[in-house]
Amino acid sequence: MAPHAITPPPAAHSIPATPITVLTSSRAVISGRLTEATIIVSNVTGKVTAVFHSILPARDFPIGTTYIDYSPHILLPGLVDAHVHLNEPGRTEWEGFYTGTRAAAFGGVTTVVDMPLNAIPPTTTVENFHTKLEAAQGKCWVDVGFYGGIIPGNSGDLKDLVKAGVRGFKGFLIDTVKHNDIELALRELKDCETTLMFHAEMIPPITDSVGDDVQSARPPMAPSGPLTHYSTFLDSRPPAFETYAVAEILSLAHLAPDLQLHIVHLSAMEAIPLLREARAKGIKITAETCFHYLSLAAERIKKGDTRHKCCPPIREQSNQDALWDELLQDREDGVIKTVVSDHSPCTPDIKLLPAHLAPAKESKRKPGHKQDCESCETSDAEHEGPEEKGDFFSAWGGISSVGLGLPILWTEGTKRYEKFSIEDVVRWCCKNTAEQVGLEKSKGDLAVGFDADIVVFDDAAEFIVEPSTMLFRNKVSPYENKTLKGVVRETWLRGQRIFSRADGFGKAGPRGRLLLEPRVKAMN
């Protein structure tokens, strides 16, 4: 059933005739609960000014008021994707502000938070941050926040980055940040209103894994099989990598007891008991997982399909099941609070895709760059090594999915659980992600005083993932040709419709803002 507009909505660039817009539906998620709703939006401020838990008729409003009844589609708060690699400047051919945020809007994401270390220069100093902000001006279709990076030697820059408006910090434990760097960051940020996040992988002192150092001989470092077999790659990054890193972080948490800690892209179920025990002891630590860990399984990845490479790796089906079990515990007190895309794209050539999986036109970027997911973000050096097509070790690691997360999660959840709840999705992808980055007073809910970031979601419709529905720059994703359930019909940003599945994007162009206001509250 198509939405019924009593008064046609104005074009995104037109001047409203009345001071309010009224959106209503028989189903809307309001303050975490599915209900009938009428939402009043100020055309001046772009904020929600009133919410009624019923459908008010058009006659209750002044003549000329834009009034749209979207029944039976669901009105959701705009999603907050708190883990996106936009890469601009320096690697804009991988992804940029314009293409990445446009893809986000297509999928109902109205806020993204940009990761700090893929761009050149990385967001590790205030000067570099200003370069990033300059590159973003006028290009963002949705609102964008930013993280700062933790690298050796930049602890003295962290407080200045907080003052400049970063929403948190991220460091890598597998290749860049060591014990002393963690300690320095904790001490420097212990009194700051921010979140310290970690890519939690470390090679344990004794391991039979090849890790980042693929060798053809000398056990125990030899790979377990052909480098084009996903099982070989999975063997090289066992769950012990994640549990060892989590244990290292927890061992230092006492240095900053009031600082919110967070594990990004958790993949190994074995880390969950460690985090649960730490939270029970009062340590402020949470975790996120990703759409790909909840929907893709190692057993189904075919030979050479490097579209599936990411770090930590996609694990077995049993591991995926355990992540879902823990995620649903968030209704009580689970440790996984948020679900994000970790959209980490690159040009097709450095994915080393076999011919039958490669897009028709590939980038000219020279292959051979050190290819281990995000752990090489601060370096652009060339490295010798195998470059066989389909080689999971030499291919760049990262899953492209920004703007696909809502239907991915809805598809998988409704397959698994007869009564899977859209309220759960809103909690993981809107409310909790907004809180994680200090935006809980303006994003993640449809409530009075919040930005009118609204998604019109058709939960029954389906679509096929193909180039026309992958709006990110490079059309390389493991979701290609999959059928997903759930279609975003419209996306509104601060009271303005920026995307319609029927009509495309607003003629006014990008309207997104850069979110630089100081944080006022850390996630609990």
Side-chain angles (χ1 to χ4, degrees), residues 166-186:
V166 302
R167 314 215 66 79
F169 293 89
K170 179 187 178 185
F172 292 93
L173 300 191
I174 192 158
D175 191 58
T176 306
V177 175
K178 306 305 180 187
H179 181 98
N180 184 60
D181 302 310
I182 303 172
E183 183 174 342
L184 288 172
L186 287 165

Side-chain angles (χ1 to χ4, degrees), residues 48-191:
V48 176
T49 59
V51 178
F52 300 90
H53 292 271
S54 61
I55 298 179
L56 302 183
R59 63 176 178 271
D60 286 1
F61 302 96
I63 294 174
T65 297
T66 299
Y67 177 102
I68 313 172
D69 184 352
Y70 286 105
S71 303
H73 300 333
I74 308 176
L75 300 182
L76 305 176
L79 275 67
V80 178
D81 192 338
H83 192 143
V84 176
H85 296 263
L86 293 175
N87 301 335
E88 189 174 357
R91 285 176 173 153
T92 310
E93 72 272 24
W94 294 15
E95 190 67 274
F97 288 105
Y98 188 94
T99 51
T101 59
R102 196 166 179 261
F106 175 86
V109 176
T110 53
T111 304
V112 302
V113 188
D114 177 62
M115 281 291 164
L117 298 172
N118 259 14
I120 303 171
T123 312
T124 51
T125 67
V126 172
E127 181 182 2
N128 290 357
F129 186 31
H130 288 159
T131 300
K132 165 82 76 170
L133 297 178
E134 184 178 351
Q137 293 293 333
K139 298 177 183 176
C140 300
W141 287 90
V142 303
D143 289 351
V144 179
F146 301 87
Y147 293 121
I150 304 290
I151 60 171
N154 83 324
S155 61
D157 295 290
L158 303 185
K159 286 185 178 177
D160 287 339
L161 281 165
V162 171
K163 293 175 184 176
V166 302
R167 314 215 66 79
F169 293 89
K170 179 187 178 185
F172 292 93
L173 300 191
I174 192 158
D175 191 58
T176 306
V177 175
K178 306 305 180 187
H179 181 98
N180 184 60
D181 302 310
I182 303 172
E183 183 174 342
L184 288 172
L186 287 165
R187 293 187 186 281
E188 193 70 17
L189 295 172
K190 66 179 181 179
D191 297 321

Side-chain angles (χ1 to χ4, degrees), residues 455-470:
V455 178
V456 181
F457 184 56
D458 183 345
D459 59 320
E462 296 183 341
F463 71 100
I464 297 173
V465 180
E466 54 191 1
S468 66
T469 54
M470 294 186 288

Side-chain angles (χ1 to χ4, degrees), residues 439-460:
L439 293 171
E440 69 277 5
K441 295 186 182 297
S442 60
K443 305 289 186 182
D445 199 0
L446 298 178
V448 174
F450 280 60
D451 290 346
D453 298 349
I454 301 169
V455 178
V456 181
F457 184 56
D458 183 345
D459 59 320

Side-chain angles (χ1 to χ4, degrees), residues 5 27 29 36 38-39 51 70 88 130 142 153 158 163 187 195 260 308-309 335 354 390 431 447 471 474 478 500:
R27 296 188 297 164
V29 179
E36 290 186 347
T38 300
I39 302 167
V51 178
Y70 286 105
E88 189 174 357
H130 288 159
V142 303
L158 303 185
K163 293 175 184 176
R187 293 187 186 281
T195 300
Q260 180 65 51
H308 292 79
K309 181 187 175 179
V335 302
K431 179 181 182 295
L471 272 62
N474 294 291
S500 163

Side-chain angles (χ1 to χ4, degrees), residues 289-303:
T289 195
C290 301
F291 303 117
H292 42 276
Y293 298 133
L294 297 170
S295 60
L296 304 174
E299 295 93 332
R300 296 194 292 272
I301 299 175
K302 296 181 179 179
K303 178 182 177 181

Side-chain angles (χ1 to χ4, degrees), residues 349-390:
D349 50 357
I350 61 175
K351 264 296 188 183
L352 300 180
L353 293 164
H356 70 285
L357 295 176
K361 184 178 180 180
E362 292 197 354
S363 165
K364 300 297 184 182
R365 185 178 179 89
K366 180 182 176 182
H369 173 66
K370 183 184 176 187
Q371 318 282 342
D372 193 7
C373 191
E374 305 159 0
S375 61
C376 64
E377 288 174 334
T378 58
S379 171
D380 201 30
E382 298 295 336
H383 294 262
E384 295 181 359
E387 293 177 10
E388 178 185 356
K389 294 293 186 180

